[in-house]
Amino acid sequence: MLTDWTYALQDWHTYLSGAWLSLRLSLAAFALAFALGLLGALARRSRYAVLRAPAAVYVEVIRNTPVLLQMFVAYFALPSAGLRLSPVQAGVLALGVNVGAYLTEIFRAGIQAVPPGQREAARVLALSPVRSFTHVVLPQALRNVYPAVVNQLVQIILGSSLLSAISVPELTGTAMVINSRTLLTVQVFGIAAVIYLVLTNLVVLAAGLLGRVAFKPPLPRAVRPRPLDAVRRLLPARAVSTAHKEAA
């Protein structure tokens, strides 16, 4: 058994190459999704129906169709319309458009959560609508939705595994190739799963550090539960009070 794992790990450089490609594709798709989400949120909040309607259709169509189907459309259907894309380009486009629909609603909620008094104060200071949005509304909106945006980035990284269906040699596609050669299914896909786990946790850690630097005051750290919190949820109030006294 140990020999099988050792043999599967001989292709470690191939795994890392696939993971690096997955990360690069995910970041490119996230950049596209971020831009689409921000533009879509502004369109959804526009006073003009000619902007609101297409944005609403975009969100409803994309969020209610499978992302794998959207990849097939980008790779197989767009060439019939005269737009030929490589597998990587089609994958980035499909992932970006898909997550952009979710970010549209996330950004719209974040903008709506900014108190109206902030906008009124910006008008009192004679800021233009553009400066009011970029310097007053947008920073507060991003702070409100930052955890949800990071979660969408993680979803893009995990969703990039679907690009193996259109022959992109990312981490899952690489694992499938190695598995077809070695027939060590448990070992090969187990290694790929560990790499995904490490990759997503590193991205979350980096995003957390970035959030503490970018937002002033910094985002609060996660609150650790106290030892008696789990007991408090299970025992009656009197029993918890007794437990506190005994602990004292």
Side-chain angles (χ1 to χ4, degrees), residues 39-125:
L39 292 175
L42 294 176
R44 291 296 302 270
R45 289 180 50 83
S46 174
R47 69 179 70 178
Y48 303 107
V50 69
L51 295 178
R52 292 197 308 270
V57 170
Y58 161 64
V59 170
E60 291 303 318
V61 170
I62 296 300
R63 293 204 307 173
N64 291 284
T65 54
V67 62
L68 184 58
L69 177 62
Q70 296 163 16
M71 291 180 185
F72 288 158
V73 169
Y75 186 58
F76 295 111
L78 288 183
S80 63
L83 181 59
R84 295 188 176 275
L85 300 175
S86 68
V88 170
Q89 293 171 336
V92 170
L93 176 63
L95 283 177
V97 170
N98 179 267
V99 176
Y102 292 91
L103 286 181
T104 294
E105 293 301 290
I106 290 173
F107 287 146
R108 184 164 72 102
I111 294 172
Q112 289 178 344
V114 176
Q118 298 291 321
R119 299 181 181 88
E120 295 174 1
R123 284 196 295 269
V124 170
L125 294 174

Side-chain angles (χ1 to χ4, degrees), residues 164-229:
S164 59
I166 55 175
S167 70
V168 176
E170 42 72 55
L171 180 55
T172 299
T174 298
M176 293 173 64
V177 172
I178 296 175
N179 178 63
S180 65
R181 187 178 71 250
T182 62
L183 301 180
L184 299 174
T185 303
V186 175
Q187 290 80 4
V188 169
F189 289 108
I191 293 170
V194 170
I195 294 176
Y196 274 117
L197 184 63
V198 172
L199 184 61
T200 52
N201 278 277
L202 287 177
V203 168
V204 170
L205 177 61
L209 295 175
L210 178 62
R212 294 176 190 173
V213 173
F215 299 109
K216 303 297 181 182
L219 291 173
R221 296 183 180 180
V223 179
R224 296 182 180 179
R226 290 173 295 180
L228 289 179
D229 280 351

